[in-house]
């Protein structure tokens, strides 16, 4: 049957959006037993804490690779409550990275947070993250918990840029209790060496400080970082360097810094609900946080990546080798 009339919305424009921050959260919970026994409750805490700690500037995308009955009920409840702005569901497991990229490339906000579904967000995480972007306009990726053991992971641009600007420091920047809590959450008591718990490599700009290194477990990116991510489909369900290629390396390829906060503003829950973490009672704040300043175009970004890598590694080796020996550390 031929179409009758004209679609009344054909010439209707869209209102501008005040949202500048997108959170993309992949979900893979195929069953409610065994390893995944408490995963639905973990996801519920993750979404509740995320909603309670963000304001009107944030929209949340959930990408489902697999959801058990209980898990889908949690997702649907949050969707009906308005917590989930966009819901993407794959018929079969598309893999963690492909799920994340579906959310990234299907949105337009200039700031994007990628997070696992077992992360608990504490109040102030976004404010602290934005403060680091503002203090260090060269930053392309910022994690909301201290990860000093990742100071060499795709950070050659960070070491080089911080050194030539005189912003490189090694001090007691992170709280020892936060580092201990992080290792306990991951059940990895030896993850961070004792010397790294005492002092950490970081960057300082006036009163603002941040650690060198970021984690793909939870990280906030400038959107342009993903211009350097592979465009093809990732062939791994998870692991196998997939997070490295699509999430860790791109910022360094573009000559942008990878940093983390000195205080832990997120917790890793894993596949069990920690007894001390409770669902936030407060609803979403009416607060509207201002977007971070535009990124800074700095001269070393024009260098070929291999040259930048060599220079950044030399700075790292000099600082962590000769300089520490000179100090007798």
């Amino acid at each position: 049957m031929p179409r009758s009339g004209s679609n009344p919305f054909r010439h209707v424009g869209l209102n501008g959006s005040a949202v500048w921050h997108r959170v993309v959260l992949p979900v893979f919970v195929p069953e409610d037993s065994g390893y995944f026994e408490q995963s639905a409750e973990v996801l519920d805490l993750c979404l509740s804490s995320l909603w309670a700690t963000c304001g009107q500037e944030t929209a949340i995308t959930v990408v489902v690779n697999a959801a058990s009955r209980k898990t889908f009920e949690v997702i649907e409840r949050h969707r009906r409550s308005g917590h989930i702005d966009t819901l993407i569901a794959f018929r079969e497991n598309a893999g963690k990275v492909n799920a994340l990229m579906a959310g990234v490339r299907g949105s337009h906000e200039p700031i994007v947070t990628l997070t696992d579904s077992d992360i608990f967000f504490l109040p102030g995480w976004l404010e602290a993250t934005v403060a680091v972007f503002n203090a260090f306009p060269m930053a392309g990726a910022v994690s909301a918990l201290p990860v000093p053991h990742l100071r060499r992971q795709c950070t050659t641009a960070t070491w080089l840029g911080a050194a030539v600007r005189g912003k490189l420091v090694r001090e007691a920047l992170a709280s020892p209790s936060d580092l201990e809590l992080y290792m306990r959450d991951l059940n990895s008591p030896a993850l961070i060496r004792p010397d790294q718990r005492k002092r950490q490599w970081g960057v300082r700009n006036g009163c603002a400080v941040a650690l060198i290194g970021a984690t793909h477990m939870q990280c906030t990116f400038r959107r342009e970082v993903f211009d350097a991510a592979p465009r093809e489909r990732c062939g791994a369900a998870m692991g196998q360097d997939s997070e490295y290629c699509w999430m860790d390396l791109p910022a360094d390829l573009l000559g942008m810094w990878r940093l983390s906060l000195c205080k832990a503003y997120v917790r890793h829950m894993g596949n069990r609900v920690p007894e001390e973490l409770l669902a936030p009672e407060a609803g979403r704040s009416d607060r509207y946080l201002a977007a971070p300043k535009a990124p800074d175009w700095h001269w070393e970004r024009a260098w070929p990546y291999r040259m930048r890598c060599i220079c950044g590694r030399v700075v790292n080796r000099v600082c962590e080798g000769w300089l520490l020996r000179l100090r007798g550390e």
Side-chain angles (χ1 to χ4, degrees):
M1 185 175 182
R3 179 173 56 193
S4 175
S6 177
N7 191 318
F9 291 92
R10 184 175 180 180
H11 300 292
V12 175
L14 297 175
N15 294 327
S17 174
V19 173
W20 54 260
H21 175 225
R22 172 74 54 173
V23 179
V24 181
L25 186 153
V27 175
F28 179 74
V29 184
E31 58 188 29
D32 293 323
S33 60
Y35 177 88
F36 300 99
E37 183 179 359
Q38 296 185 25
S39 292
E41 290 82 0
V42 168
L43 175 62
D44 192 17
L45 274 177
C46 173
L47 287 169
S48 297
S49 65
L50 181 57
W51 177 258
T53 54
C54 293
Q56 305 299 317
E57 73 291 315
T58 299
I60 300 171
T61 294
V62 170
V63 186
V64 180
N65 276 330
S68 64
R69 178 191 56 79
K70 189 191 300 185
T71 302
F72 191 79
E73 289 174 355
V74 168
I75 294 171
E76 185 61 17
R77 173 161 47 81
H78 283 275
R79 187 194 66 81
R80 288 196 305 267
S81 299
H83 301 174
I84 297 173
D85 171 77
T86 304
L87 179 60
I88 302 172
F90 287 96
R91 180 174 297 177
E92 297 180 352
N93 182 13
K96 177 182 176 179
V97 163
N98 293 323
L100 286 167
M101 291 302 105
V104 170
R105 289 168 180 154
S107 58
H108 307 281
E109 291 75 19
I111 303 295
V112 182
T113 294
L114 304 185
T115 178
D116 290 352
S117 61
D118 57 359
I119 299 298
F120 188 92
F121 292 82
L122 299 171
W125 74 272
L126 185 55
E127 291 90 333
T129 299
V130 169
V132 169
F133 277 118
N134 285 332
F136 304 98
M138 298 76 72
V142 179
S143 290
L145 76 165
V147 286
H149 59 298
L150 298 178
R151 68 200 182 283
R152 295 178 181 172
Q153 180 84 340
C154 301
T155 55
T156 55
T158 314
W159 283 93
L160 176 62
V164 299
R165 289 170 175 77
K167 299 185 184 298
L168 192 62
V169 296
R170 184 172 184 265
E171 302 173 4
L173 300 173
S175 163
S177 60
D178 280 357
L179 296 176
E180 292 290 343
L181 189 61
Y182 171 52
M183 291 187 290
R184 194 191 79 184
D185 285 346
L186 292 180
N187 196 24
S188 300
L191 182 65
I192 301 173
R193 299 199 316 257
D195 61 306
Q196 295 171 2
R197 301 175 204 175
K198 293 179 181 178
R199 294 183 183 178
Q200 302 84 34
W201 286 100
V203 291
R204 180 183 295 279
N205 185 11
C207 296
V209 291
L211 301 188
I212 296 176
T215 173
H216 51 245
M217 179 177 73
Q218 183 280 335
C219 194
T220 301
F221 300 86
R222 294 190 186 274
R223 176 167 292 277
E224 48 266 48
V225 166
F226 299 107
D227 293 341
R231 301 298 299 182
E232 65 268 20
R233 179 180 182 273
C234 177
M238 63 183 301
Q240 301 180 32
D241 284 339
S242 58
E243 290 101 337
Y244 174 86
C245 293
W246 271 264
M247 301 168 68
D248 296 339
L249 185 58
D252 202 40
L253 281 173
L254 292 180
M256 304 183 83
W257 295 11
R258 286 169 46 81
L259 304 172
S260 57
L261 303 185
C262 297
K263 176 178 171 55
Y265 280 93
V266 300
R267 295 279 305 276
H268 179 266
M269 294 182 283
N271 63 337
R272 293 291 183 269
V273 177
E275 295 180 359
E276 68 272 22
L277 295 181
L278 300 174
E281 295 181 2
R284 189 181 196 182
S285 171
D286 290 333
R287 174 215 73 196
Y288 182 81
L289 187 64
K293 294 185 291 189
D296 177 37
W297 177 264
H298 40 289
W299 55 267
E300 65 267 26
R301 289 186 65 180
W303 287 18
Y305 177 62
R306 290 185 179 275
M307 181 187 298
R308 203 166 56 236
C309 272
I310 292 171
C311 294
R313 286 169 182 163
V314 168
V315 170
N316 172 256
R317 296 299 186 268
V318 168
C319 290
E320 294 206 283
W322 174 80
L323 185 58
L324 294 189
R325 286 195 296 271
L326 183 65
R327 292 179 177 178
E329 298 182 25

